[in-house]
Amino acid sequence: MPEELCDFIQRAEPRIDLIRDQTLLPPQRYPGDHLGEESFARTTAAQTRFEELVDSADALFGVPDQSAAQLKRTVEGNPRLRWVHTTPAGGGGQVKAAGLAEHHLKRVAFTASGGVHGQPLAEFAVFGVLAGAKELPRLLTDQRNHIWGQRRAVPQLSRQTVLVVGLGGIGRAVAGKLSALGVHVVGAHRRQVEAPGVERIIAMSELASAVRDVDAIVVCLPGTDATHRIISRTVLANVKPGVTIVNVGRGSTIDERALVEALADGRIGFAALDVFESEPLSPDSPLWDLPNVLISPHTAAINTGEERLIAELFAQNATRLLDGLPLLNLVNTVEFY
């Protein structure tokens, strides 16, 4: 974290002692880079010092080295630890991967950066829906081939119906932006929630029938056991021909093999994908070469204000922890989202 943001956190909550040693951390490649330079390695002495600092903490900003193994090591070895803030919005996956015992999950509170990434992901989702409606692949193909294409009618976004699957912070942001453009928005969620711009909410069990009537599907789901491949082969078999699919949630929520087949045979007209079942996407994945696919390498959430927003959230939660108030964005340690 840049020093100016470290200073901001300490000004916002002067009761905390924000300990850091930037020489023990990999240099950032870009603002908001949670991993840092891939070539970075600590000496044995530096690694020992790093772990000593981590193990002295009551709270951690970020999972050490973004490593589930390091998280497990320090939770088990540091009885003082009370709170870990995971910097990704999907930090529940890191906590799940650590395989912590139940008593550790009860002792340590885990929070995530949900909400920080809602607006940039919603913008990418709108971009994807627009690109599908306006037939971006055809326009690009004609441009590359120097073809003055035929005049043809294309859909008007305000006459389309879009299904937003998952109405958490990201899904609600997507729904709001699409509704502002005149889109008819239907939501799918596991319970009824307040979601401005959504005309009606269906149960997740109704997906296979609901997709018959929508022009685009935007997936905004976390990666949990309950959401694994919820956009299934059966759901994709029932889509309205030519539908657009956008995924700004987690790649595990879509049956990727069935998605490839549906893109190849034209059932799906266009897909804008920021996430994939396995990342980085394998060089031999058919998705790279399908002309009706736009690939974003899990970068749609990155934005210039990300670090500041995460720092502000962390400072808020530090105050809440010290004052005995409920923390914001608590990770559900049953379903890990």
Side-chain angles (χ1 to χ4, degrees), residues 10-215:
Q10 293 196 287
R11 289 195 305 272
E13 182 41 83
R15 291 176 291 176
I16 68 172
D17 185 8
L18 190 64
I19 299 170
R20 70 273 189 191
D21 182 344
Q22 301 283 14
T23 67
L24 297 175
L25 301 173
Q28 287 186 313
R29 296 162 294 183
Y30 50 83
D33 181 12
H34 302 306
L35 295 173
E37 288 286 353
E38 294 178 3
S39 60
F40 176 81
R42 298 184 191 95
T43 64
T44 301
Q47 184 65 31
T48 298
R49 176 60 179 154
F50 175 73
E51 293 180 3
E52 286 173 349
L53 285 177
V54 167
D55 293 348
S56 71
D58 298 292
L60 295 175
F61 180 94
V63 170
D65 292 336
Q66 299 297 325
S67 162
Q70 277 283 352
L71 178 61
K72 182 179 178 68
R73 184 201 61 76
T74 193
V75 169
E76 292 178 347
N78 179 6
R80 293 179 49 181
L81 190 62
R82 299 170 57 194
W83 169 40
V84 176
H85 180 73
T86 67
T87 48
Q94 292 179 316
V95 181
K96 181 179 181 180
L100 298 170
E102 186 68 25
H103 66 279
H104 291 312
L105 292 173
K106 289 180 178 178
R107 173 173 62 88
V108 181
F110 298 92
T111 56
S113 297
V116 167
H117 309 93
Q119 294 303 318
L121 287 174
E123 290 181 2
F124 180 84
V126 172
F127 166 63
V129 172
L130 272 167
K134 302 306 178 184
E135 299 182 2
L136 178 63
R138 179 180 65 84
L139 293 174
L140 289 175
T141 297
D142 285 351
Q143 179 178 334
R144 291 190 189 103
N145 294 326
H146 298 192
I147 293 174
W148 185 265
Q150 293 182 339
R151 292 172 60 86
R152 56 188 292 178
V154 295
Q156 186 175 329
L157 204 62
S158 60
R159 295 180 179 272
Q160 291 205 321
T161 299
V162 177
L163 174 64
V164 178
V165 185
L167 293 173
I170 296 169
R172 292 196 298 273
V174 170
K177 290 186 186 300
L178 288 172
S179 176
L181 292 171
V183 175
H184 300 283
V185 181
V186 177
H189 204 64
R190 60 179 181 175
R191 64 182 185 279
Q192 294 295 309
V193 294
E194 287 292 325
V198 178
E199 296 179 4
R200 62 188 176 92
I201 298 175
I202 64 166
M204 290 294 189
S205 58
E206 299 176 54
L207 282 174
S209 58
V211 295
R212 294 189 177 102
D213 303 314
V214 302
D215 302 288

Side-chain angles (χ1 to χ4, degrees), residues 275-287:
V275 288
F276 304 87
E277 282 195 322
S278 179
E279 296 181 2
L281 185 63
S282 172
D284 60 3
S285 170
L287 290 169

